[in-house]
């Protein structure tokens, strides 16, 4: 009986060994097959070494605008009596530009002036009567109640005088509002009314700009906001329209800390020096010298870029036959190549066919280019 049990035990042990051997063999075959399949499915790619870019600054195109740019309107309704300037005239601050018919306002002013004179005389008379009665009261010839009445008359005359002064000031202001003066020195660019027309307080009559204070308004991409906001002084070079080989040296005047939700840009104002030759409304190209950063720019082919749904970009580096995604920032574009930040100049990058490529995929290098194109 013991012999039969022993034989069964050895038989089961032998069968178990056979099963393990078969399992090991199947596993190794599967691993080899998977390895061969993975090797066979690796993607052949062309790679390129990027070319280091010389940081020439951020070049933007904007419009020349005036620091002061006003659409002038009248503060009073009326008929235009006289126009003292024409479009194109250079005016100084507080120079008279237009006059309305002020006949009624002038009469009301004279009436208020006469009422002021009457109030002044009334106050003087009230004071005189009070002084006379005060002398008599010392002799006890008049009642104290009458003296108090004369004192009240002085207060009443004083109040009427203040009222008359206020009425005169009001009529003076209304008379002044019949005349439009220049709020600042500049150039009249447009005249919208003519003599004899009736204008209201909402009607625009002149366009006035300050020709001696110009600036260029630029729209900078949102990714540069940190560099603009951290620097105290940022130099800018304005392309001279009269001499293409010369530039006008200037600097960034102001950065607006608000990003446009539509085009994801923020406003930058660049000061325009006097006698620059630039005129209001014209376009201007400006190269802004941003502060130096650790991220060097390199050139790569446009085909190496993969665009993301959010508007960003990435490229793929090749390390150990594996594609690795690298997020970059596009700074310039020239024909078939782009300058980017965030890429190493000593790294190989896949040159084309990256639209469907994913990070971590196996690749095999087919050819290597020494520059960006």
């Amino acid at each position: 009986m013991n012999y039969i049990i022993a034989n069964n035990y050895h038989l089961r042990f032998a069968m178990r060994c056979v099963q393990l051997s078969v399992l090991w063999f199947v596993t190794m075959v599967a691993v080899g097959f998977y390895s061969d399949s993975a090797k066979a499915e690796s993607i052949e790619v062309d790679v390129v070494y990027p070319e280091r870019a010389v940081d020439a600054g951020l070049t933007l195109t904007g419009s020349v605008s005036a620091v002061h740019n006003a659409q002038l309107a009248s503060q009073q309704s009326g008929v235009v009596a006289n126009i003292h300037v024409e479009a194109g005239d250079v005016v100084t601050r507080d120079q008279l530009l237009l006059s309305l018919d002020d006949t009624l306002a002038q009469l009301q002013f004279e009436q208020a002036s006469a009422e002021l004179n009457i109030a002044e005389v009334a106050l003087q008379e009230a004071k005189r009567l009070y002084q006379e009665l005060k002398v008599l009261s010392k002799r006890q010839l008049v009642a104290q109640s009458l003296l108090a009445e004369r004192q009240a008359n002085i207060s009443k005359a004083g109040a009427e005088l203040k009222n008359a002064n206020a009425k005169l000031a009001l009529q003076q202001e209304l008379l002044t509002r019949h005349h439009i003066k220049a709020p600042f020195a500049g150039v009249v660019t447009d005249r919208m009314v003519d003599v004899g027309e009736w204008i209201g307080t909402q009607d625009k009559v002149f366009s006035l700009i300050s020709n001696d204070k110009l600036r260029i308004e630029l729209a900078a991409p949102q990714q540069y906001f940190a560099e603009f906001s951290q620097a105290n002084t940022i130099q800018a070079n304005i392309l001279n329209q009269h001499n293409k080989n010369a530039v006008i040296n200037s600097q960034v005047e102001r950065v607006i800390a608000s990003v446009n939700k539509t085009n994801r840009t923020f406003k930058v104002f660049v000061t325009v020096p006097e006698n620059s030759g630039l005129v209001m409304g014209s376009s201007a190209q400006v190269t802004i010298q941003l502060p130096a950063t650790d991220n060097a720019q390199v050139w790569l082919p446009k085909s190496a870029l993969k665009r993301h749904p959010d508007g960003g970009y990435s490229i793929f580096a090749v390390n150990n036959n594996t594609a690795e995604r690298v997020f970059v920032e596009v700074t310039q574009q020239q024909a078939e190549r782009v300058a980017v930040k965030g890429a190493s100049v000593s790294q190989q990058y896949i040159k084309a066919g990256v639209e469907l490529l994913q990070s971590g995929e196996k690749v095999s290098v087919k050819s290597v280019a020494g520059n960006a194109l």
Side-chain angles (χ1 to χ4, degrees):
M1 184 68 177
N2 292 333
Y3 176 78
I4 295 173
I5 294 174
N7 286 338
N8 289 338
Y9 173 79
H10 288 296
L11 180 61
R12 287 197 300 269
F13 177 77
M15 292 179 64
R16 183 59 177 170
C17 291
V18 171
Q19 290 175 349
L20 291 176
S21 298
V22 172
L23 180 62
W24 177 83
F25 178 78
V26 172
T27 301
M28 294 304 295
V29 170
V31 170
F33 178 79
Y34 176 80
S35 178
D36 292 341
S37 299
K39 185 175 181 180
E41 292 178 359
S42 63
I43 303 171
E44 289 189 345
V45 294
D46 296 323
V47 297
V48 61
Y49 282 101
E51 176 186 346
R52 184 181 296 276
V54 178
D55 192 357
L58 177 63
T59 301
L60 301 171
T61 300
S63 299
V64 180
S65 61
V67 176
H68 299 297
N69 184 0
Q71 301 291 315
L72 304 183
S74 175
Q75 294 179 294
Q76 186 70 30
S77 299
V79 176
V80 178
N82 293 292
I83 296 177
H84 305 285
V85 294
E86 291 294 336
D89 289 350
V90 179
V91 299
T92 59
R93 183 175 180 177
D94 293 329
Q95 181 176 335
L96 184 61
L97 307 179
L98 179 145
S99 298
L100 300 178
D101 184 358
D102 60 355
T103 303
L104 293 179
Q106 185 66 44
L107 293 174
Q108 291 171 346
F109 174 79
E110 292 176 0
Q111 181 181 1
S113 180
E115 291 177 357
L116 176 62
N117 292 334
I118 293 173
E120 290 174 344
V121 172
L123 178 60
Q124 292 176 1
E125 181 63 14
K127 289 180 178 180
R128 186 187 67 79
L129 292 176
Y130 172 76
Q131 292 298 330
E132 287 182 353
L133 201 61
K134 187 176 182 180
V135 174
L136 294 176
S137 68
K138 291 180 180 180
R139 301 176 185 177
Q140 298 182 350
L141 298 176
V142 294
Q144 290 298 316
S145 60
L146 183 58
L147 184 64
E149 181 182 350
R150 294 291 173 86
Q151 179 67 45
N153 288 339
I154 293 178
S155 299
K156 180 181 178 181
E160 291 178 346
L161 179 60
K162 288 183 179 180
N163 185 46
N165 270 311
K167 287 184 177 180
L168 182 62
L170 174 62
Q171 295 304 320
Q172 177 64 64
E173 179 62 25
L174 292 176
L175 186 62
T176 301
R177 292 189 177 195
H178 281 72
H179 306 277
I180 300 177
K181 295 183 179 180
F184 52 84
V187 177
V188 178
T189 59
D190 199 5
R191 173 171 68 87
M192 296 84 159
V193 297
D194 209 339
V195 175
E197 289 187 29
W198 175 273
I199 61 173
T201 55
Q202 301 296 323
D203 297 330
K204 304 296 186 295
V205 293
F206 292 108
S207 293
L208 180 66
I209 64 169
S210 57
N211 61 340
D212 59 336
K213 293 182 179 181
L214 299 177
R215 60 188 180 185
I216 300 174
E217 181 177 333
L218 304 170
Q222 65 178 7
Q223 60 264 32
Y224 292 98
F225 181 76
E227 297 176 52
F228 274 93
S229 59
Q230 292 173 3
N232 295 325
T233 302
I234 301 178
Q235 299 300 318
N237 296 325
I238 305 171
L239 181 64
N240 192 324
Q241 293 180 329
H242 304 290
N243 184 359
K244 300 299 182 180
N245 296 323
V247 295
I248 303 170
N249 295 322
S250 183
Q251 64 182 18
V252 173
E253 172 188 321
R254 184 165 303 187
V255 177
I256 307 300
S258 177
V259 175
N260 187 303
K261 294 187 295 184
T262 303
N263 52 26
R264 305 301 179 187
T265 60
F266 60 95
K267 288 184 179 180
V268 177
F269 292 103
V270 174
T271 302
V272 176
E274 295 184 4
N275 303 321
S276 64
L278 298 175
V279 294
M280 165 75 176
S282 62
S283 64
Q285 192 176 70
V286 182
T287 300
I288 299 174
Q289 304 299 328
L290 293 174
T293 61
D294 295 333
N295 293 331
Q297 296 186 71
V298 296
W299 290 104
L300 284 169
K302 279 186 178 180
S303 57
L305 285 179
K306 181 173 183 177
R307 186 180 180 91
H308 304 162
D310 62 356
Y313 295 93
S314 63
I315 57 179
F316 286 90
V318 176
N319 289 316
N320 297 323
N321 292 327
T322 302
E324 295 182 1
R325 185 191 302 272
V326 178
F327 293 95
V328 294
E329 172 191 340
V330 176
T331 58
Q332 297 183 60
Q333 295 192 25
Q334 290 183 2
E336 294 303 317
R337 67 176 188 168
V338 292
V340 299
K341 287 184 178 180
S344 172
V345 71
S346 60
Q347 176 67 54
Q348 292 179 348
Y349 295 100
I350 298 176
K351 187 175 182 181
V354 298
E355 291 78 7
L356 301 179
L357 192 63
Q358 299 296 325
S359 184
E361 288 193 72
K362 291 296 181 179
V363 295
S364 60
V365 177
K366 183 171 61 174
S367 65
V368 180
N371 52 57
L373 290 178

